Amino acid sequence: MAYKTINPYTNEVEKEFPNATDEELEAVLAKAHQLYLDWRNDSESLEDRKTILHRVADILRERRTEYATIMSHDMGKLIGEAEGEVDLCADICDYYVDKADEFLKPRTLETDAGKAYYIKQSTGVLVAVEPWNFPFYQIARVFAPNFIIGNPMILKDASNCPASAQAFADAVLEAGAPEGSLNNMFISYDQVAKAIADKRVSGVCLTGSERGGMSVAAEAGKNLKKTTMELGGNDAFIILDDADWDLVKEVAPQARLYNAGQVCTSSKRFIVMADKYDEFLEVLKDAFSAVRMGDPTDRTTTLAPLNSKSAKEKLEKQVELAVENGAKVYYGNEKVDLPGQFFMPTILTDINPDNPIFNQEMFGPVASVYKVNSEEEAIALANNSSYGLGNTVFGEPEHAARVAAKIETGMSWINSGWASLPELPFGGVKNSGYGRELSELGFNAFVNEHLVFEPKR
C-alpha cells in the first residue's frame, strides 16, 4: 500500500512515506500494551492524561491554519472548512477532559440482594482504521475518549492522507503523551488483520466503506474482538408542507456541497412534495451554478476538488450508470476545464427504485431529487435504503420531529443540515454500521463495565 500525498488540485506527488515492517508493528504492539498496563496500574495517570489532552487542544488551536493546509494538500479540503475541522478536534479533546470524572465515576446499581456498582476500566490496545474525508476529526473522535480511558491506539489511516495522520500523531507526542499512546502506522490491510488477531489488541473501530467494514468486522469476529463501525450513508433530506422555505433555500445546497459532498452524513436524497418540486430544483440549480472551483487554499474558492483521481472516476461512472438506467440530468455532469480532480455539481431526477444507483452512496457533489405526493410516501422513500446513518427533516418543529422518529436512521436533524458536536452521539443503523462515537456513548464504546457486588449477610 503506497502512502502518498497527491495534491488533488495540482495532481503532484508532494510526499511519500515508507510502509511499516512487521518488526515495527510488533515493536509498537509491545510498547502500546506495556503502556496500557502502566496506565491501568497507576491511579494517578488519569490526571496526567487530562493535562496532556488539554495541551493537544491548545496545540491544535495554535496551529489551526498550518494543520488545515496539510489537510488541503492531502485531500483537497477548502482551507476554511479545514480550519473548522481543527477547531472541532480541539473542542472534542477539551470535552473529554472536562467530562472525564463524570464519565468514569462508579455507577450504583439497584438491588435488594446487597451492594452493587460497576466501575469503568480500560480494556487494552485498540486498532483504528480511519478514512480520508476528515483527516483530523476522524482521528480525534476515537483517540480523545480512549486516551482518557487508558486505551492506547494503533492508527491505520487512509493512504492518501499520510501527512495529516502523522501531523496529528506528532501533536499528541508534542503535548507530552507517552510514546505508544497514538501510534500512526503506514501498514497494509494484511498487517491490520495481524494486529487485530494479536492477543494484546482488545478492539477495533472503523469508519469507511461497507466492503472495508465487512472485512475488518469478519477479522475481528474471528478473533472475538469488539468493534464499532461507521460505514457511510445515503441520507434523506425531507421537506414537509409546513417547511420554512427561506430556511430550506439557505441550508439545502450546503447540506450537499460541504466538503465537496464527501461527507457520510451529507444530504444525498432530497425528497420534496410535488407542489414545490420544480421550485426546489431551481433553488439547487441556482446555488450549484454559483460555485467557484479552484485552489482549496484560496479563501475565495467555494468548491474544492474531489480527494483523488479514483474518487472522481468512480463518481463519473455512478452518474453514467444512473443515466443509462433512466435517470435524468437536470443540471451539471459536464467536464470541468481545470487540472485538478474537480466534479461539476450535478442534479439528478427520475431515479426509480429499480435503478442500480438508487441504493448507492454517491460521494461527491451530486444531488438526487425525488418528487412525492404525501408525507407517508416521503417516509417510505426515506426508509427504502440499506443505509441508516443520518436524516434531515424540514417543517414545523414538532411535526418534523414526529416524522423524524419514523425514519430508520441513527441520527436526525430538524430544520438544519447535518452537524457534529462533541456532546452528540454519532453513528447509524442497517448497513451504515453500529456503535456510537462522541458523547458519553462514544466514551463507553471500549470500556470494561466491571461489576462489583457484595451480597447481604
Side-chain angles (χ1 to χ4, degrees), residues 129-130 189 192 196 204-221 225 227-232 430-434:
V129 181
E130 301 301 328
Y189 284 109
V192 170
I196 293 171
V204 191
C205 48
L206 176 142
T207 295
S209 67
E210 288 177 85
R211 185 179 67 175
M214 283 186 239
S215 175
V216 168
E219 195 66 39
K225 303 297 173 70
T227 58
T228 60
M229 298 275 157
E230 193 267 274
L231 306 177
K430 300 200 284 190
N431 285 18
S432 289
Y434 50 83

Side-chain angles (χ1 to χ4, degrees), residues 147-435:
F147 181 70
I148 287 295
I149 292 163
N151 293 327
M153 184 166 284
I154 293 173
L155 170 66
K156 185 263 179 276
D157 209 52
S159 61
N160 63 326
C161 287
S164 298
Q166 193 59 54
F168 193 100
D170 289 344
V172 170
L173 277 178
E174 184 180 339
E179 288 191 12
S181 300
L182 177 63
N183 306 275
N184 177 49
M185 299 205 72
F186 302 121
I187 54 179
S188 68
Y189 284 109
D190 285 344
Q191 289 171 312
V192 170
K194 182 177 292 188
I196 293 171
D198 192 282
K199 64 182 181 180
R200 293 163 291 190
V201 168
S202 66
V204 191
C205 48
L206 176 142
T207 295
S209 67
E210 288 177 85
R211 185 179 67 175
M214 283 186 239
S215 175
V216 168
E219 195 66 39
K222 185 170 66 177
N223 291 282
L224 296 178
K225 303 297 173 70
K226 185 174 184 180
T227 58
T228 60
M229 298 275 157
E230 193 267 274
L231 306 177
N234 199 10
D235 291 14
F237 187 112
I238 301 171
I239 306 171
L240 301 173
D241 283 332
D242 51 8
D244 180 336
W245 202 245
D246 289 335
L247 190 57
V248 169
K249 292 177 182 178
E250 176 186 334
V251 174
Q254 192 64 1
R256 189 67 196 100
L257 297 182
Y258 183 89
N259 205 31
Q262 300 168 119
V263 185
C264 298
T265 51
S266 65
S267 299
K268 301 178 179 78
R269 297 181 296 148
F270 294 86
I271 301 173
V272 191
M273 298 298 162
D275 62 335
K276 292 288 189 179
Y277 178 76
D278 292 334
E279 182 180 352
F280 181 75
L281 286 171
E282 285 301 302
V283 167
L284 276 192
K285 178 181 177 181
D286 289 346
F288 281 18
S289 62
V291 300
R292 183 180 186 274
M293 293 180 251
D295 183 350
T297 62
D298 181 343
R299 294 183 187 275
T300 64
T301 299
T302 60
L303 186 69
L306 296 185
N307 76 94
S308 63
K309 181 180 179 183
S310 60
K312 178 181 176 180
E313 290 174 344
K314 179 180 178 180
L315 191 58
E316 288 173 339
K317 290 178 181 177
Q318 286 182 301
V319 172
E320 181 181 343
L321 178 66
V323 173
E324 286 175 352
N325 286 274
K328 296 178 182 177
V329 177
Y330 183 83
Y331 174 79
N333 197 33
E334 298 175 3
K335 298 294 183 182
V336 177
D337 188 21
L338 288 170
Q341 304 305 322
F342 291 96
F343 195 98
M344 183 179 182
T346 296
I347 302 169
L348 297 179
T349 65
D350 298 271
I351 298 176
N352 296 317
D354 59 354
N355 192 315
I357 212 67
F358 180 82
N359 197 39
Q360 292 186 23
E361 178 182 34
M362 288 189 279
F363 223 54
V366 178
S368 301
V369 184
Y370 296 83
K371 181 196 300 184
V372 294
N373 295 300
S374 68
E375 181 177 303
E376 292 71 25
E377 188 180 349
I379 293 168
L381 178 57
N383 286 335
N384 189 5
S385 173
S386 64
Y387 294 100
L389 187 59
N391 168 63
T392 291
V393 184
F394 269 72
E396 186 277 324
E398 291 186 4
H399 179 202
R402 290 195 300 271
V403 170
K406 298 178 181 179
I407 307 302
E408 297 165 347
T409 187
M411 301 173 284
S412 287
W413 293 274
I414 304 300
N415 295 325
S416 170
W418 64 272
S420 183
L421 295 169
E423 63 270 24
L424 302 181
F426 189 102
V429 295
K430 300 200 284 190
N431 285 18
S432 289
Y434 50 83

